Amino acid sequence: MLYFTLASKAYARNLQYRGAHMLHNLASALFGYLYACIWIGIGADRPLGEYGVQGMIGYIAFTQASLWITGFITNGLGIPQAVRTGQISLDLMRPVHLFVLCMCREWGQIAYQFVYKSLPIYLLYMILFRLSLPTHWTTLLYTFVALAASSYMSICMNYLIGATSLWTTESNWLFWVNHALVNLLAGFFIPVEWLPSWLQTVSWMSPYPYLLYVPTRIYLGYEQAGSLLGSMAWCIVFTLLCLLVTVVVRRKVEVQGG
Amino acid sequence: MNIKYWLDLYVVLIKSSIRSRMQYKLNFILGTVLAAIVQIAEFLMIAIVLNKFGAVKGWSLYEVGYLFAVMTLSKTLYRTFASDVHHLENYLTTGELDQLLTRPVPILLALMSQNIRLMPGELLQGGTILYWSMHGLITSGQITWAALPYTLFIIVTGGVILFSIGLATATIGFWITRIDELQTLTEDAAQTAVRYPLVLYPVWLRSLLLIVIPVGFVGYVPSLFILRGEYGAWLVYGIAFLAVICLIVSLKFWKFGLTRYQSTGS
């Protein structure tokens, strides 16, 4: 119940800014539109592999909309700010595990972004580019599981980024590097199989393809449920890492004095 | 008090701002290296695609690299010297602008000398891609070294245009206070769009990026002459004239907006 309350509070807080967020959605949709235009331009006089032009438009539309629940996560889950203000000491004193506390808050944020950002942006693309939904309900189910796993991995990644601020007080740049790697290695703009082979190897050795590429491929019907095993494996690895880091954080915490 | 007096004052304020930044050396070095990585990853995204598929609507990888670099360098110029114009929202929501209003310097000068942001990472990335793309274009015989002075010139005019757009957007904050979302549209999205040739976009979007938000004049339009010899050298001078017009209009709008400033109640 406590966990649900933490999440719902974060959801409710965002509801106050719905109007501003809708304007932001327009800008976000425009970004995806630009990328789609680039692929339309590239595909004008050559085939685009198994996707084709319409397939690549569908691909970009899905990754751009999904970015709001897998990429645009709160910077370091708010831990850097808590470190600067000293709030982190209070958070560690609460009778809730720090990782669970941060995670529940972020799930509320993600739920809000799914309803008020991802869905409206994707709906707009569906109308604009005449996209259609998958015909089989299991595809939607597997996509949902893949997206939930990628959201969870993103939460864990940002928890780890946030935890570094206990040593550096500033993890802003790490957040942006992570974002750049999402753009490049997660198949946001380029499907992973079109990366140079060495970069493909790097990509598959990292968790990034499971953030966007795998859910998108499942949604578009190119992958089956088997790919979810990779997502699950990374979720387990990240959970262990986050729990381990929390133990270290408890010993490291310094109160900055606000 | 003449212009020289204000310029000298600006230099003094900038120097002290840089000194305060340098108090956090490790942060600065780390930030620089990582900023360069972020920027290069962004370019790699399009470079990989063009390398695999070849030109897009007649624009080669070198030409797109040129557009990308000019935009990065113009933006670096703007954001280095007017960082807090972009962050005016913070001043409006906290009421911190009141402090600047009490200073015996023009408000815009005070704002521009606050928190000056050195951006060597962006400079490094933009410079490297510009060198690489121009070297490629010169080797292939498409352009000559004469393109270099023109390029440096349009980076400056581009900086002025981006500053004008940024200032006009910030001024709207005097009415609506929160401008973050608007900036994403008029600055981030618009600047991203023109890092690629405008021929990729439908007419309505092209018109938007040339008339409503004249960001298309930063790199794309001048490159039609510099890279492809279209129109003539007058195009570059015409853009300089346009940049000055944009600057005057945005400054007048800023002055008008300032009269509408209401501080916060907190």
Side-chain angles (χ1 to χ4, degrees):
Chain A
M1 191 60 202
L2 168 73
Y3 303 139
F4 181 75
T5 309
L6 283 168
S8 61
K9 290 273 182 201
Y11 186 93
R13 195 177 55 240
N14 275 290
L15 283 178
Q16 305 301 320
Y17 304 106
R18 265 174 298 183
H21 289 163
M22 284 301 150
L23 183 63
H24 205 225
N25 281 351
L26 268 184
S28 181
L30 184 61
F31 273 103
Y33 184 77
L34 299 177
Y35 294 131
C37 283
I38 294 172
W39 279 115
I40 293 169
I42 293 168
D45 42 16
R46 56 179 81 80
L48 295 177
E50 61 180 325
Y51 301 98
V53 175
Q54 191 60 18
M56 270 317 293
I57 293 171
Y59 183 99
I60 291 291
F62 191 83
T63 55
Q64 182 68 29
S66 306
L67 212 53
W68 282 101
I69 50 170
T70 61
F72 296 139
I73 303 286
T74 310
N75 181 357
L77 302 189
I79 297 174
Q81 206 182 353
V83 169
R84 273 197 297 276
T85 59
Q87 172 74 27
I88 188 77
S89 57
L90 295 175
D91 286 343
L92 282 166
M93 267 192 269
R94 291 178 205 276
V96 192
H97 194 279
L98 182 68
F99 173 57
V100 180
L101 174 80
C102 295
M103 179 178 66
C104 288
R105 281 188 199 144
E106 201 57 32
W107 273 122
Q109 177 85 19
I110 288 172
Y112 172 83
Q113 292 184 172
F114 179 68
V115 176
Y116 285 96
K117 289 182 176 239
S118 293
L119 287 183
I121 290 172
Y122 196 71
L123 271 174
L124 183 67
Y125 288 145
M126 281 185 77
I127 298 164
L128 209 61
F129 295 124
R130 297 168 201 277
L131 303 174
S132 50
L133 285 169
T135 46
H136 214 277
W137 68 272
T138 49
T139 309
L140 280 175
L141 177 72
Y142 297 146
T143 307
F144 189 77
V145 175
L147 284 176
S150 57
S151 297
Y152 178 73
M153 280 186 271
S154 270
I155 289 176
C156 294
M157 283 175 170
N158 271 280
Y159 181 75
L160 297 172
I161 289 170
T164 60
S165 64
L166 277 127
W167 284 266
T168 59
T169 66
E170 173 68 78
S171 60
N172 216 10
W173 284 106
L174 217 48
F175 174 76
W176 285 111
V177 167
N178 182 45
H179 196 70
L181 290 176
V182 168
N183 281 348
L184 189 62
L185 300 180
F188 163 67
F189 177 67
I190 323 163
V192 177
E193 70 265 26
W194 289 347
L195 292 175
S197 60
W198 67 272
L199 210 54
Q200 275 185 53
T201 314
V202 174
S203 175
W204 282 114
M205 281 165 69
S206 77
Y208 288 108
Y210 295 96
L211 291 185
L212 286 170
Y213 178 70
V214 169
T216 309
R217 295 267 302 175
I218 292 176
Y219 179 79
L220 296 176
Y222 295 113
E223 301 269 348
Q224 303 306 313
S227 343
L228 290 174
L229 284 175
S231 303
M232 294 306 143
W234 275 108
C235 285
I236 294 168
V237 170
F238 272 120
T239 308
L240 294 174
L241 261 175
C242 289
L243 293 176
L244 188 72
V245 163
T246 312
V247 175
V248 185
V249 161
R250 282 195 170 279
R251 293 188 186 142
K252 169 67 191 167
V253 69
E254 285 171 16
V255 178
Q256 300 284 330
Chain B
M1 284 181 269
N2 54 19
I3 289 180
K4 189 181 176 310
Y5 169 82
W6 292 120
L7 276 178
D8 288 345
L9 183 66
Y10 182 57
V11 170
V12 170
L13 290 170
I14 279 185
K15 275 185 183 168
S16 66
S17 186
I18 291 174
R19 264 203 303 278
S20 80
R21 282 263 152 173
M22 287 303 161
Q23 298 304 308
Y24 306 96
K25 281 199 185 66
L26 179 70
N27 215 352
F28 177 76
I29 294 166
L30 207 65
T32 300
V33 173
L34 296 181
I37 294 176
V38 170
Q39 297 284 328
I40 284 171
E42 271 186 42
F43 180 66
L44 268 182
M45 233 169 60
I46 187 71
I48 288 168
V49 171
L50 291 188
N51 196 36
K52 182 173 174 64
F53 291 100
V56 50
K57 291 240 172 142
W59 284 72
S60 69
L61 176 56
Y62 288 131
E63 288 175 315
V64 174
Y66 180 86
L67 292 182
F68 205 97
V70 168
M71 174 47 80
T72 305
L73 293 171
S74 291
K75 187 180 167 183
T76 305
L77 201 63
Y78 152 49
R79 294 292 282 275
T80 300
F81 292 105
S83 171
D84 275 15
V85 169
H86 184 74
H87 296 123
L88 184 73
E89 183 181 303
N90 298 341
Y91 291 85
L92 295 175
T93 50
T94 58
E96 270 183 48
L97 199 70
D98 294 2
Q99 288 178 18
L100 297 187
L101 283 167
T102 59
R103 292 194 191 170
V105 289
I107 184 89
L108 189 57
L109 188 77
L111 199 63
M112 283 172 69
S113 54
Q114 295 271 101
N115 301 317
I116 191 144
R117 207 175 134 218
L118 295 176
M119 300 162 75
E122 285 81 353
L123 216 54
L124 194 72
Q125 178 259 17
T128 309
I129 297 178
L130 187 67
Y131 172 78
W132 170 79
S133 56
M134 286 191 79
H135 184 263
L137 290 165
I138 289 171
T139 312
S140 68
Q142 187 176 337
I143 57 170
T144 62
W145 282 105
L148 189 62
Y150 279 121
T151 303
L152 296 176
F153 186 67
I154 64 159
I155 288 170
V156 177
T157 55
V160 174
I161 293 172
L162 293 181
F163 170 75
S164 308
I165 296 168
L167 187 65
T169 310
T171 305
I172 294 173
F174 289 121
W175 284 272
I176 63 170
T177 311
R178 291 220 175 260
I179 43 169
D180 198 26
E181 280 77 18
L182 191 64
Q183 281 174 330
T184 312
L185 207 59
T186 61
E187 296 199 53
D188 301 340
Q191 288 164 10
T192 303
V194 296
R195 289 196 302 203
Y196 309 102
L198 287 190
V199 282
L200 284 172
Y201 309 127
V203 176
W204 69 267
L205 189 54
R206 254 183 271 175
S207 315
L208 189 84
L209 296 167
L210 288 171
I211 301 164
V212 184
I213 310 167
V215 76
F217 290 96
V218 174
Y220 175 74
V221 176
S223 74
L224 292 177
F225 164 68
I226 299 171
L227 302 185
R228 311 188 143 206
E230 292 172 22
Y231 302 104
W234 64 266
L235 193 65
V236 175
Y237 303 115
I239 288 165
F241 181 67
L242 179 86
V244 174
I245 301 278
C246 286
L247 184 65
I248 293 170
V249 171
S250 66
L251 283 172
K252 283 205 180 298
F253 184 44
W254 165 262
K255 269 193 169 172
F256 174 66
L258 208 53
T259 62
R260 294 290 182 275
Y261 172 61
Q262 288 177 315
S263 190
T264 56
S266 55

